[in-house]
Amino acid sequence: MRLPVPGPRSLAGQLFAMQAVLIAVVVAGYALFTYVSDRQQAEDAAGRQARSVSLAIADSPSVLDAIRTPDPTAQLQPYAVRVMRDAGVDFVTIMDPEGIRWTHPDPRQIGRLFRGHIERAQRGETFTETYTGTLGPSVRAVTPVDDGGRVVGLVSAGIKVEEISKRAQEQLTALLAVAAGALLLGAVGTYVINARLRRHTHGMNADELSRMHDYHQAALHAVREGLLMLDGQHRVALINDGGRELLGVRGEVVGASVADLGLPAQLTGALLASEPRVDEVHLTAERVLVVNTSPVSGGEHRGTVVTLRDVTELQSLTGELDSERGFTQALRSQAHEAANRLHTVVSLIELGRAEEAVDFATAELELAQALTDQVVAAVSEPVLAALLLGKTAQANERGVELVVSQDSRLDDGLLPPSLPARDLVTILGNLVDNAVDAAQGRAPSRVTVAAYTDVAGGAGSELVMRVTDTGAGVDPAHADLVFQRGYSTKPADEGGRGLGLALVRQAVQRHGGTLTVAGAEGGGARFEARLPLDGTGPAGAPAAHAVPGRPTAGGTA
């Protein structure tokens, strides 16, 4: 039969045992030190008392008069007994200069030689010593009796060490009572503190806590998603590597307030909110994040756990998918129109009007080729040209005329590698979609696109993309809001609203460019994005703003 082996005690139990032993040692040491100190103080006090009594007797005129008589004992013995009783000393011995006693508590000792040192007193000096005499060990003082510069007698007064010990023991009893109370109070306090610690550590021992910490650290660094933990005052209590990367924070941020991390206002507001947030989309300078928050509560608000997921690529792919879906719809519409025109040509041929059929078909081909030639001639960069052709077909389907302005000129190969095609599609595609939405249903319904390079006064060349619509415009009071995520004048039941212009601002800011909105001539809005082509753009330039001094308007966001 195997005996059960006790497991390691919990951390709280180990601390309780250690603290109890520590308190006991401290209290015992203090009691011993105090006892020794009090005993020494009692001996010092007894010496001072004996010295005072012996000096008072030696200075008494009646003592000097008694010494001059033939029988000093007759007067001095009763006097010494009274002094012993009144002064609280154990003995008073008056003797001649040679140490022969005139008085003593035990009358049988009178006439015998004093037991102790008297040499210093014989020389006229008062001193104190501890000596074992006829009454046992005592603390005594010896004082000379002076008569005109001549020592005519000696006085010794003392207190037995036994009496001093009794005094110290009385103090020790009180001290032990105080020490026992301190030990009991310390034990109770230690128990209460360790009971609380036991609740917080869930009864785990030091090894278990250490392993949990190691697992905790390994898990934090292994998780690719961002994890952020805030305390009850919305200060950063913990952040993993993924959280630092996704939020773009550097340095030591543990203990810093969320409001001091320099995050976008809407993201900061979500982190500071007391209610949970589920799959909220937020934009930083370079990323699109999905944020989830969950409060940590145990009867009170103790903090918040925040998880962050990077959906930048997913959002970009979603935008491309939307563009492809739009192209597909445009192609379907064009196929439908082509079928109608083909039926028209076939019908004309069947009616024997071949010449009119050729003219009709040639006119349609020339119109389509003219549109393609116009776009490609203005913007020969293939990605933007394809985007504009697709957006033209989409706009046509929705009854909006999309025009490429005559001042557009963007040759193929001009754009540097620092401007990827995906970002250009994000910027120009969202601006055009926004403008088409604004112009649809208006009279006239037109969107004008301009794309060209410009030399910005010695600051390097810039790519300029300008989109103008004939929409109703935006309230000037909302000019600074159109670029914020979530702002939209479109129906609220459609998902993803208010993200297009925010993505445009993010892409422009990432490349150090500027994005402005101003009123267009004749109404509507004009959005203009400027991107540096040589990397000399202001990295910290504002991503979006309304042009001062102009009437602010714009399409819907």
Side-chain angles (χ1 to χ4, degrees), residues 19-360:
Q19 291 171 353
V21 171
L22 181 61
I23 291 176
V25 170
V26 170
V27 171
Y30 175 74
L32 178 62
F33 171 78
T34 305
Y35 173 74
V36 174
S37 177
D38 287 349
R39 182 179 178 86
Q40 183 63 44
Q41 291 178 1
E43 292 181 358
D44 293 342
R48 290 193 297 270
Q49 183 180 359
R51 183 184 182 91
S52 300
V53 172
S54 64
L55 286 172
I57 295 174
D59 291 340
S60 175
S62 61
V63 172
L64 186 58
D65 292 342
I67 292 175
R68 292 171 181 168
T69 64
D71 186 11
T73 300
Q75 298 182 25
L76 293 178
Q77 177 67 10
Y79 174 76
V81 173
R82 289 195 306 270
V83 171
M84 287 169 49
R85 183 180 65 246
D86 296 340
V89 294
D90 291 326
F91 69 88
V92 172
T93 300
I94 305 175
M95 68 201 86
D96 66 10
E98 300 302 323
I100 302 302
R101 301 186 184 99
W102 286 328
T103 68
H104 194 275
D106 184 2
R108 292 174 298 178
Q109 300 294 330
I110 297 175
R112 295 181 182 182
L113 185 65
F114 177 77
R115 295 178 65 177
H117 301 95
I118 60 173
E119 294 81 4
R120 294 167 62 185
Q122 289 174 337
R123 295 193 298 268
E125 180 183 350
T126 299
F127 68 94
T128 304
E129 68 174 353
T130 300
Y131 193 85
T132 303
T134 58
L135 299 177
S138 63
V139 177
R140 61 182 64 182
V142 182
T143 303
V145 179
D146 184 81
D147 184 11
R150 183 171 61 90
V151 176
V152 296
L154 303 175
V155 178
S156 177
I159 300 175
K160 290 186 292 185
V161 173
E162 181 182 354
E163 294 297 325
I164 297 174
S165 298
K166 288 181 180 179
R167 298 179 186 180
Q169 287 175 357
E170 292 176 356
Q171 296 178 350
L172 178 62
T173 301
L175 175 63
L176 290 177
V178 173
L183 181 60
L184 178 61
L185 181 62
V188 172
T190 302
Y191 176 79
V192 172
I193 293 174
N194 282 274
R196 180 179 179 87
L197 178 62
R198 190 179 300 109
R199 288 196 303 270
H200 286 301
T201 59
H202 302 285
M204 290 187 291
N205 58 43
D207 292 337
E208 291 172 333
L209 289 174
S210 177
R211 285 195 299 270
M212 178 173 288
H213 176 269
D214 293 340
Y215 296 152
H216 173 266
Q217 292 296 320
L220 282 179
H221 292 289
V223 174
R224 294 185 59 187
E225 286 75 13
L227 178 63
L228 181 67
M229 299 186 70
L230 309 177
D231 61 16
Q233 285 71 44
H234 298 100
R235 294 172 303 198
V236 178
L238 182 146
I239 184 171
N240 69 342
D241 298 339
R244 290 178 178 274
E245 180 180 358
L246 295 181
L247 294 179
V249 296
R250 301 290 183 270
E252 183 57 44
V253 298
V254 174
S257 174
V258 171
D260 298 331
L261 297 183
L263 303 177
Q266 290 188 336
L267 178 56
T268 300
L271 299 182
L272 293 176
S274 58
E275 67 276 1
R277 302 295 179 94
V278 179
D279 290 341
E280 280 195 1
V281 178
H282 289 272
L283 276 74
T284 63
E286 297 183 355
R287 299 180 184 272
V288 181
L289 303 179
V290 173
V291 178
N292 287 272
T293 66
S294 177
V296 178
S297 58
E300 60 181 2
H301 178 67
R302 296 184 177 180
T304 306
V305 177
V306 181
T307 58
L308 307 166
R309 284 182 289 133
D310 186 9
V311 294
T312 304
E313 293 188 4
L314 178 61
Q315 188 65 47
S316 193
L317 291 174
T318 301
E320 292 184 9
L321 179 61
D322 290 341
S323 297
E324 294 296 335
R325 186 180 293 113
F327 294 158
T328 302
Q329 293 175 353
L331 289 174
R332 184 181 297 111
S333 174
Q334 289 182 355
H336 182 72
E337 290 297 319
N340 290 336
R341 292 162 187 161
L342 182 59
H343 285 307
T344 301
V345 172
V346 171
S347 298
L348 288 174
I349 294 175
E350 289 178 348
L351 295 174
R353 299 175 177 245
E355 186 175 348
E356 294 179 10
V358 172
D359 292 339
F360 178 80

